[in-house]
Amino acid sequence: MKNIGILGSGEVAKTLADGFLKNGYKVCVGTGHPEKLDKWKAKHGDGSSVGSFADAAKFGDLLVLAVKGSAATDVLNSAGKENLAGKTIIDTCNPIEAAPPVNGVLRFFTNINDSLMEQLQKDFPDANLVKAFNSVGSPLMINPDFGDTKPSMFICGNNEQAKKEVEEINTLFGFDTEDMGKAEAARAIEPLCLLWCITGLTTNKWDGHAFKLLRR
């Protein structure tokens, strides 16, 4: 069973860390603010640890990038390119601009013909980024209950083996994987965050909706 390095200490990072720990993985959470994780570490004990971004990147055989989109490049640089090389990195980030929503619609700092994940992949070419867990809220990331229906988890990335690894995690966490192809598909997957957030921002309900791709 692979060790998991989580880069980030917010709700998404802690939720995914909890999901991995629940399923028997060992997890190291990397953060620039270790004091934020005192209660989390006390709750989990054995199997969990907290360190710097570089500590988590060294520890993890598989990594999860779970920070604000605006901080993603700096965090990966802090983790160290040598600690990222050859590893699968689940990229949960969205390029949300620091601006208020307009009628429930957030703003991105990227454009429709480029995505944050593509930029990260170009900056860190030896890592294998896979976009996932960016289009559903943290309360629904681990085994969401929609009766007999499993939500879709849209992914993309350039490395086929890395995507297979992420598909296994998606299945473990209760999702059906929809592989949209190479990194360019992040141009379509990242904006799903905007669509998902509209319901939350306009109704203040954040734990009752997810996407499903229907086929026949």
Side-chain angles (χ1 to χ4, degrees):
M1 186 170 281
K2 292 190 173 185
N3 292 333
I4 306 297
I6 307 284
L7 305 178
S9 54
E11 287 306 309
V12 171
K14 289 186 288 186
T15 296
L16 292 174
D18 288 349
F20 282 110
L21 288 165
K22 176 184 175 182
N23 285 281
Y25 290 86
K26 292 182 178 179
V27 174
C28 178
V29 178
T31 177
H33 304 280
E35 69 281 358
K36 290 184 177 181
L37 292 167
D38 288 344
K39 291 182 180 179
W40 180 86
K41 180 64 175 67
K43 181 175 74 172
H44 289 290
D46 292 343
S48 67
S49 59
V50 175
S52 67
F53 294 122
D55 291 332
K58 290 176 185 177
F59 176 85
D61 303 305
L62 181 147
L63 306 179
V64 178
L65 179 63
V67 296
K68 290 181 178 180
S70 57
T73 298
D74 288 342
V75 166
L76 290 179
N77 277 321
S78 295
K81 288 188 176 182
E82 68 280 6
N83 298 321
L84 308 178
K87 295 182 179 180
T88 297
I89 303 178
I90 299 177
D91 170 22
T92 74
C93 302
N94 286 306
I96 297 173
E97 193 174 272
V102 177
N103 294 323
V105 182
L106 294 164
R107 292 176 59 91
F108 272 8
F109 57 75
T110 53
N111 64 62
I112 194 63
N113 294 314
D114 196 13
S115 66
L116 176 60
M117 195 186 87
E118 288 175 275
Q119 295 173 16
L120 296 175
Q121 189 64 83
K122 290 174 185 175
D123 290 341
F124 302 90
D126 294 329
N128 300 317
L129 277 82
V130 179
K131 179 64 70 176
F133 293 97
N134 76 298
S135 58
V136 69
S138 56
L140 297 171
M141 287 184 172
I142 309 299
N143 303 116
D145 183 4
F146 287 93
D148 295 331
T149 301
K150 290 184 178 181
S152 299
M153 182 60 67
F154 297 94
I155 72 168
C156 67
N158 292 337
N159 185 281
E160 295 302 316
Q161 182 57 41
K163 288 193 288 185
K164 288 180 181 178
E165 287 187 78
V166 176
E167 182 174 358
E168 292 175 0
I169 292 166
N170 292 342
T171 300
L172 185 66
F173 288 176
F175 291 87
D176 288 334
T177 296
E178 297 292 347
D179 184 352
M180 297 291 105
K182 301 297 185 181
E184 290 80 4
R187 300 175 197 176
I189 296 175
E190 288 178 358
L192 290 176
C193 163
L194 302 181
L195 186 60
W196 189 88
C197 284
I198 288 172
T199 295
L201 289 167
T202 57
T203 69
N204 201 33
K205 295 179 180 179
W206 296 93
D207 60 355
H209 60 291
F211 292 114
K212 180 67 180 177
L213 180 62
L214 301 177
R215 300 181 182 277
R216 65 175 183 177

